Amino acid sequence: SISPFSMDQTMMARSNTQLISASLLQIYHDVLEHNLSCWVTEATCPYSADVTTPEWGPYWSNRVYRRTVKLDQMAQSTRMIQLARSQDRAATRALHLSIMAFATQWAQGSRRQRQQYLSVGEEGEVMEGGEINEEFDRNLQRHFWDLAQRALQEVSDLESYRVVCAELVFGLTQKPWNEELAEETMTTAAAGTATTAEDAMTQVNNIISSEGPPMYMERAARKMHALKYRYDSIRRRGGQAATVALDTEDTDTIGLLYWLTVMFDTVSSSMNERPVVVSDDDCHMDESSGPWKIDMFADVDNGGNNSSTTTTNNGTNGIKNDDFLHWPCSYEAAAEAVVKSAPVKILLFRHVSYLQNLLRKGIGGRGGQQQQQQMREVINSAMSVYRYWNSTYGAFFRELVHNFELVPPRIQGWFFCISAHWHLAALMLADLLLEAGSLVEEDWADVACTIRTCSVRELSDLARVATGGGGGGGGGSHPRLNNLHHAVSEGTILTEPWTMILIRAFSKAVVLGRAGEAMYSTTTNSDVGYCIRALWLLGKKSDMARKAAEVL
């Protein structure tokens, strides 16, 4: 943290606080609220009864922030949540500081922000500069991160919707590196290009591990689970005084926040190979139980075109590529299709978590045959999800990539993030298929290789269009969306709020592509080079991404 007597601290104290806050709030709005308007909506939330008008146009509100604060106020007024005045202030402070810490990742005006990517062969160094100057905005980033961390520690035992939201936002925020952390990472992951693919992946994993466990995501999931449990209990017992005071929007906000924590918990736990906080039985919206099935989210309506889509019982073969939405189409149809793809992505991550858990337990003893059968069922279910995606959203997204310049800017950002997330889950699934094959006495090597090939190629294509595909500082800007903050508008890739997912996805694509394990003749090192460019541009807001790009 910054000394209270340092020159930078004095500058901060004398800065126009309102201007700083307005700038950071716009970044939060342009990045996180922009993506949440796609990821979590009443139309796709299993726990919401009402369907409100979506915010899909060129202007949108801070919907999640506004509704969370309103819900917390109503819950306190009805005594569903009981906070002392000092606790109420602490919850508000934690939420505001978490938003500030999140937004300061986009280090506007710093040397890192101004750096230009140089391809191999161009004059100059591929990666410019080692240490980053201790500039005002970088100190501001560390300052807000430290303040947010302390504020969240003060409310760690409070169950409040604002605290849940604060922990989710802070869980997306990468810790800014200081000299000590940078030196430690340099020791475990030596600077320079790794000699083999295995060495490169080891070094990248060491870099990623410096972030530590996803404690804030898990805390948010536990608290939201408890808050929803309390609300459901009061409602079942007929607590009219408490529940009637909540209007339809408030009750739907509970469902939206719960679904958001379930999604984040599912992705985070599978990425970090940790158990999910919210179990399957607590995720179901009805009396059903057990693992998630494809029919939970396979009821599509052709992305808004109601003409010809049909589904079969298993949800995989009834939709042919010709039946699903194609580009070009209306803005509303494209937006609806992208929004409806988000839960399917979560479904694949959930299956990755199932397989991880089964492989951790192993197969042996009296229940060996039953465990093998269970693993086969999970694999078959995961492959059904994978085939369903390729026949529907995957095919549509590939058309959006090929026509990227013609796609409206908001949809560019939405589908880029969801598609990159999907391909990380697919690459993780491929790894698990290879590991599971020997246990279930089935050869999944060809399937895993095909999955890797497709995902490496499509991640390379995503990186190409999201970074501009050319030299210089990134391209891929949003000239038609003039209200984006300048720190965000440099490239579509910079609108991704969950940086860790992209670091993992593009790093795996580079390693697999160069190793030749996932390459057709049309995939070359120059193709995966776009993934390195993507990591480097992410380095404008992430020390970890920049270091991963240097290693690769």
Side-chain angles (χ1 to χ4, degrees), residues 361-429:
K361 293 178 180 178
I363 293 178
R366 294 181 179 179
Q369 289 186 340
Q370 183 178 354
Q371 292 168 334
Q372 281 187 333
Q373 181 60 29
Q374 188 178 7
M375 191 172 293
R376 290 191 188 97
E377 290 175 357
V378 170
I379 291 174
N380 289 333
S381 182
M383 291 307 301
S384 293
V385 175
Y386 182 81
R387 289 190 295 269
Y388 170 77
W389 174 276
N390 281 338
S391 298
T392 54
Y393 304 110
F396 181 56
F397 285 5
R398 287 189 288 274
E399 293 175 1
L400 296 183
V401 169
H402 294 151
N403 298 276
F404 193 75
E405 294 300 321
L406 302 176
V407 176
R410 287 203 77 190
I411 295 177
Q412 284 180 353
W414 287 348
F415 97 82
F416 165 78
C417 292
I418 291 177
S419 187
H421 298 186
W422 167 269
H423 288 297
L424 173 61
L427 290 176
M428 294 170 66
L429 175 63

Side-chain angles (χ1 to χ4, degrees), residues 240-288:
Q240 295 296 318
T243 57
V244 170
L246 300 182
D247 60 22
T248 303
E249 183 181 75
D250 292 329
T251 56
D252 278 347
T253 301
I254 294 174
L256 288 177
L257 287 176
Y258 187 63
W259 176 229
L260 185 61
T261 57
V262 168
M263 289 193 293
F264 279 19
D265 176 38
T266 299
V267 175
S268 178
S269 62
S270 58
M271 281 199 307
N272 292 281
E273 297 189 49
R274 294 168 67 88
V276 294
V277 174
V278 184
S279 68
D280 286 340
D281 289 346
D282 291 319
C283 289
H284 287 287
M285 62 294 295
D286 51 28
E287 299 302 320
S288 59

Side-chain angles (χ1 to χ4, degrees), residues 146-212:
D146 289 339
L147 287 179
Q149 184 189 42
R150 289 198 292 270
L152 286 171
Q153 188 59 37
E154 292 176 5
V155 298
S156 60
D157 59 344
L158 296 186
E159 291 182 348
S160 155
Y161 296 106
R162 280 172 296 166
V163 173
V164 168
C165 188
E167 289 174 335
L168 288 176
V169 173
F170 198 64
L172 299 174
T173 307
Q174 291 198 306
K175 182 178 181 179
W177 289 7
N178 52 30
E179 291 184 7
E180 181 181 355
L181 181 56
E183 289 176 1
E184 290 177 0
T185 308
M186 283 289 291
T187 301
T188 55
T193 303
T195 55
T196 67
E198 185 176 353
D199 290 341
M201 201 67 247
T202 299
Q203 291 185 21
V204 169
N205 286 336
N206 288 334
I207 293 170
I208 291 174
S209 66
S210 67
E211 191 79 357

